[in-house]
Amino acid sequence: MEGEGVKGLACQKTMDGKASNGKEAVVPSCCLKAMACLPEEDAKCHSTVVSGWFSEPHSRSGKKGEAVYFNNPMWPGEAHSLKVEKVLFKDKSEYQEVLVFESATYGKVLVLDGIVQLTEKDEFAYQEMIAHLPLCSTPSPKNVLVVGGGDGGVLREISRHSSVEVIDICEIDKMVIDVSKKFFPELAVGFEDPRVQLHIGDAVEFLRKSPAGKYDAIIVDSSDPVGPALALVEKPFFETLARALKPGGILCNMAESMWLHTHLIEDMISICRQTFKNVQYAWSSVPTYPSGVIGFVLCSTEGPAVDFKNPINPIEKLDGAMTYKREMKFYNSDMHRAAFALPTFLRREVASLLAS
């Protein structure tokens, strides 16, 4: 694998659009994301709101017999709809279209390029798990980096750890931060912590300039791996992340839905195993994400052994952590251990997990 060059998360069976026998390969529907291009110029994020309902993805008529999707077909053949009470904000930044609306049942909703990023009702399930799975797996973390996470929710959760001295965050899109501060103050409160150092810019460039071995933990809270975020799921980026971590340092990276993209999960794990000593997969329930679940890849570098499945730094024993800023609603040590319990079908389909 090392000598074959860098590959991203396109399905290994359909790389370059060719099967091993040289014939045109049939691209799985979920792999269309790897071939996705920019949406047509007339596609605006608010066009996903039809008759008072927001749906993702939004399909439009193309050539006869051809399905054209609004942005990336992350979950072809299905759509999740939320009733819209009022559109609160819509604009286009340098990088993406940003939409905020008040829903009938999930509170305010943040949408980037037509994809739901968070809702007030269930955001804590994601924010708490992606932050505390890594930070509770290492004793007394001091330096932490967040890649993405412009809504501030991950910062809010990291702030519960009193041992942390520096929280760097590198977010490429300032509009996301500004919108969150205006419409999602319960998440953006994370920016108020004096330990937070905000860097607006490209994460790849930021990490290249960072000292080697600086961070105890890095949390990658990025968008889905298409467009500008594609570089964040390729081998060179994981190598850059590993370089920035201390010996025994931990990476936690958002890693797709087991119900939709098992082969992409396997590709990500395979890439990580080439760079990190220990690689594990965990998951959480988030109702407004595709299929209602989201996964996380957790990795550690060479150095002190890390037991991801049993929290060495339990949140319940950290003074005031359970109620800091906002009472915790989802994560606890039992949920931590349970997150690594994987369904039989996932273990069967993702062969690399059997090596765990």
Side-chain angles (χ1 to χ4, degrees):
M1 293 293 291
E2 292 285 352
E4 293 179 3
V6 175
K7 293 181 180 179
L9 288 187
C11 177
Q12 300 300 308
K13 298 178 182 179
T14 57
M15 290 298 293
D16 301 323
K18 297 287 185 180
S20 58
N21 59 9
K23 297 181 180 180
E24 291 293 329
V26 177
V27 182
S29 58
C30 56
C31 269
L32 292 175
K33 60 180 282 188
M35 303 165 62
C37 58
L38 293 174
E40 294 180 10
E41 291 183 359
D42 63 344
K44 306 297 182 183
C45 61
H46 59 277
S47 68
T48 57
V49 179
V50 180
S51 301
W53 289 81
F54 170 87
S55 294
E56 53 179 2
H58 171 68
S59 61
R60 291 173 286 113
S61 299
K63 296 178 182 179
K64 186 175 181 180
E66 178 183 353
V68 181
Y69 292 87
F70 177 84
N71 282 320
N72 307 305
M74 295 298 296
W75 40 99
E78 59 184 270
H80 185 187
S81 296
L82 297 173
K83 187 175 182 181
V84 177
E85 297 290 348
K86 183 180 181 181
V87 173
L88 302 174
F89 178 89
K90 55 187 178 186
D91 201 355
K92 188 170 184 178
S93 73
E94 182 181 350
Y95 303 98
Q96 57 201 341
E97 292 178 328
V98 182
L99 170 70
V100 179
F101 66 87
E102 184 75 41
S103 71
T105 53
Y106 280 84
K108 290 192 288 290
V109 181
L110 174 65
V111 182
L112 301 180
D113 273 347
I115 309 297
V116 168
Q117 303 298 305
L118 64 88
T119 77
E120 288 183 310
K121 184 174 182 177
D122 64 4
E123 55 85 9
F124 55 85
Y126 175 81
Q127 315 286 356
E128 293 182 14
M129 292 294 277
I130 198 173
H132 301 304
L133 284 174
L135 295 185
C136 291
S137 296
T138 184
S140 301
K142 290 181 171 56
N143 296 312
V144 180
L145 169 65
V146 179
V147 174
D151 53 70
V154 173
L155 298 178
R156 179 193 67 198
E157 296 306 316
I158 296 172
S159 297
R160 297 180 189 273
H161 292 257
S162 58
S163 68
V164 174
E165 298 172 357
V166 175
I167 310 172
D168 282 330
I169 175 171
C170 186
E171 166 62 55
I172 197 169
D173 196 342
K174 186 175 183 296
M175 183 180 288
V176 174
I177 298 172
D178 294 339
V179 166
S180 183
K181 288 181 177 180
K182 181 175 181 179
F183 296 102
F184 301 94
E186 286 198 358
L187 286 92
V189 68
F191 286 102
E192 297 175 6
D193 193 297
R195 296 170 290 177
V196 171
Q197 298 181 10
L198 173 62
H199 308 269
I200 303 293
D202 177 62
V204 175
E205 202 55 39
F206 175 82
L207 281 161
R208 283 175 182 159
K209 296 177 181 178
S210 296
K214 178 178 180 179
Y215 297 106
D216 297 284
I218 299 176
I219 298 169
V220 180
D221 178 21
S222 63
S223 303
D224 293 303
V226 289
L230 181 59
L232 303 187
V233 291
E234 295 178 333
K235 186 180 177 184
F237 183 64
F238 286 113
E239 291 175 336
T240 305
L241 290 167
R243 172 187 167 277
L245 286 167
K246 295 178 179 179
I250 292 175
L251 166 68
C252 184
N253 202 110
M254 186 275 287
E256 305 293 343
S257 164
M258 70 174 78
W259 293 106
L260 300 175
H261 303 124
T262 52
H263 68 296
L264 296 181
I265 293 170
E266 183 164 20
D267 285 347
M268 181 177 283
I269 292 173
S270 177
I271 291 171
C272 288
R273 285 194 184 281
Q274 297 175 45
T275 305
F276 294 92
K277 175 183 179 181
N278 183 10
V279 181
Q280 299 289 334
Y281 186 81
W283 61 285
S284 180
S285 171
V286 186
T288 50
Y289 283 175
S291 78
V293 302
I294 193 68
F296 311 100
V297 166
L298 290 105
C299 313
S300 62
T301 57
E302 290 285 348
V306 177
D307 181 3
F308 285 116
K309 299 181 181 181
N310 296 289
I312 192 174
N313 185 31
I315 196 76
E316 294 87 352
K317 293 186 178 180
L318 303 181
D319 188 33
M322 295 293 291
T323 56
Y324 183 76
K325 295 290 186 181
R326 179 191 60 79
E327 188 172 2
M328 293 187 70
K329 299 181 179 181
F330 194 88
Y331 177 89
N332 56 52
S333 291
D334 288 335
M335 291 299 293
H336 182 120
R337 287 182 282 268
F340 294 92
L342 304 179
T344 302
F345 82 87
L346 182 61
R347 287 191 167 274
R348 183 182 298 121
E349 294 183 28
V350 182
S352 55
L353 288 172
L354 297 177
S356 301

